[in-house]
Amino acid sequence: MPAPLISPSILAADFARLGEQLEAISNADWIHVDIMDGHFVPNLSFGPDITATVKRSTDKPLDVHLMIEEPAKWVKTYIEAGATTVIFHVEAVDDEVAAVDLARQIRDLGARAAFSIKPDTPIEPWLDKLHHFDEVLVMSVEPGFGGQKFMPAMLDKVRALRESIDRQNLDTIIEIDGGIDTETIALAAAAGCDCFVAGSAVFNSDDPAQAVEQLRALAARS
Ligand code: DX5
Ligand code: ZN
């Protein structure tokens, strides 16, 4: 998969016109699907049925971001609903052993395994576990809501990941989520991100496909 990859978050889409909105971003690489349970994060979004509807409406890989408690109970359901990649939060599992075990279960079920990490959680304990994961999703806002301001301090986490992935010669993808727009995407790309989630920057635009193209070009130039 050639970087940079753009993964629009449908959290910012108009759900009354979901099919049209997905067609409008036919130049995107992946589709980012934000699952919120009202417990792990203080907001509720949608679940497996909408995920399956998205799957039926697009031929893009689905990047399913589980912002939920007890993710192990749900991974099979979301893979059956069409998740290409299942991203769970390290804060939602007991410890590193449980996280690696869950990654193995996800891979055994035929999906790509990823973890996500909240702004206040240190990345260091995870750097020697990266070979168990196809992807890491760095949160550059507090998870729960679209439209928040990018936290530049999270780029230190991206740089630590980049250095570690390159040193270990892994192909783990670094993805970033939150506040990515035409101002911030170049910073994230320069720090070493391969894939960029963008909600508001794509769906609040009059021309979502052009927004995807512009974001990709800005990331590629960095
Ligand atoms: C936040 C979600 C994001 C969100 C990004 O909890 O994980 O994927 O939709 O939205 P923007 O791009 O508007 O910050
Ligand atoms: Zn997300």
Side-chain angles (χ1 to χ4, degrees):
M1 273 169 292
L5 302 166
I6 307 293
S7 189
S9 165
I10 56 156
L11 191 65
D14 175 355
F15 272 76
R17 303 186 294 125
L18 188 54
E20 259 172 65
Q21 296 261 278
L22 288 166
E23 272 170 37
I25 49 161
S26 60
N27 59 339
D29 297 286
W30 297 348
I31 306 294
H32 189 80
V33 181
D34 283 310
I35 310 295
M36 304 181 183
D37 67 353
H39 295 279
F40 181 75
V41 287
N43 193 12
L44 198 61
S45 59
F46 41 78
D49 291 347
I50 295 281
T51 306
T53 302
V54 175
K55 180 70 187 171
R56 280 196 300 276
S57 315
T58 179
D59 57 0
K60 309 284 176 203
L62 301 193
D63 200 25
V64 176
H65 180 190
L66 299 180
M67 287 166 273
I68 63 174
E69 287 176 357
E70 302 193 271
K73 286 192 177 166
W74 288 96
V75 296
K76 190 165 184 280
T77 303
Y78 282 98
I79 292 168
E80 285 169 0
T84 309
T85 306
V86 176
I87 308 164
F88 64 87
H89 266 270
V90 293
E91 300 85 2
V93 293
D94 286 344
D95 52 24
E96 285 97 340
V97 175
V100 167
D101 189 53
L102 186 52
R104 193 166 299 130
Q105 288 177 45
I106 293 168
R107 283 176 162 179
D108 285 349
L109 289 164
R112 298 173 71 254
F115 72 80
S116 184
I117 186 154
K118 288 170 45 164
D120 289 341
T121 306
I123 192 67
E124 285 69 25
W126 299 94
L127 295 178
D128 63 352
K129 314 278 181 307
L130 298 174
H131 56 288
H132 297 287
F133 295 90
D134 300 290
E135 181 183 320
V136 177
L137 180 69
V138 175
M139 291 309 302
S140 42
V141 298
E142 282 301 334
F145 299 91
Q148 301 182 75
K149 200 169 157 4
F150 181 74
M151 300 166 79
M154 296 307 119
L155 296 178
D156 288 344
K157 231 179 248 186
V158 172
R159 282 186 277 265
L161 279 164
R162 183 78 275 152
E163 194 275 327
S164 191
I165 287 168
D166 291 350
R167 186 167 33 79
Q168 298 177 69
N169 212 5
L170 301 174
D171 52 14
T172 312
I173 281 183
I174 307 175
E175 186 174 18
I176 193 158
D177 187 3
I180 292 294
D181 58 22
T182 52
E183 303 285 310
T184 56
I185 194 163
L187 301 172
C193 291
D194 308 292
C195 182
F196 306 84
V197 176
S200 327
V202 169
F203 288 107
N204 291 354
S205 158
D206 292 337
D207 186 343
Q210 204 249 325
V212 167
E213 216 37 68
Q214 191 185 3
L215 289 169
R216 191 186 281 119
L218 287 165
R221 222 178 292 148
S222 305

